[in-house]
């Protein structure tokens, strides 16, 4: 049994193929497109401080590495998931000093608070924004028969 499971693992058939998006969204502008879609669906506008944070996010190209609701390509964290856990002081220190592959990003206190406002605002609406994001990307449908264990009886 172990040999068969090992062969199955080596064959690559033991892992279902990852669902692919039908529409690609540019990583660098993903949040901008997502929040524009939110504004369109709700008829609301982003608060001014959140909009300022979004402008900083785009100006510093944060979305190139940090993806909404997922790890980045090199395992960069989804900052919207961590936003409520980071104090202003912690966020400011990370931005000032950099962290891992992330370069130092010198922002004023006002800019850091604006960026924090964006991340907290997104975290507070995470479920709603995730649904909009899934509709926006439109992943291929999941089909149980694609899972390899249904092939073996």
């Amino acid at each position: 049994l172990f040999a068969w499971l090992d062969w199955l693992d080596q064959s690559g058939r033991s892992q279902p193929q990852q669902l692919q998006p039908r529409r690609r969204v540019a990583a660098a502008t993903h949040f901008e497109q997502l929040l524009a879609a939110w504004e369109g669906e709700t008829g609301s506008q982003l608060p001014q401080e959140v909009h300022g944070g979004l402008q900083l996010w785009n100006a510093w190209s944060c979305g190139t590495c940090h993806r909404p609701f997922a790890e980045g390509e090199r395992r960069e964290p989804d900052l919207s998931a961590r936003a409520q856990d980071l104090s202003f002081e912690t966020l400011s220190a990370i931005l000032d000093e950099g962290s891992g592959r992330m370069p130092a990003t010198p922002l004023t206190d006002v800019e850091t608070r604006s960026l924090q406002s964006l991340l907290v605002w997104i975290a507070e609406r995470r479920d709603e924004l995730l649904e909009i994001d899934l509709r926006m990307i439109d992943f291929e449908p999941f089909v149980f028969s694609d899972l390899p264990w249904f092939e073996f009886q």
Side-chain angles (χ1 to χ4, degrees), residues 60 79 82-83 85-99 102-117 119:
W60 284 95
L79 297 180
R82 294 198 55 214
D85 297 336
L86 294 176
S87 67
F88 171 78
E89 292 76 19
T90 303
L91 179 61
S92 187
I94 291 170
L95 291 170
D96 288 344
E97 300 163 16
S99 176
M102 184 180 135
T105 310
L107 298 177
T108 66
D109 284 355
V110 172
E111 290 172 326
T112 301
R113 288 197 189 283
S114 186
L115 188 59
Q116 185 178 34
S117 294
L119 297 173

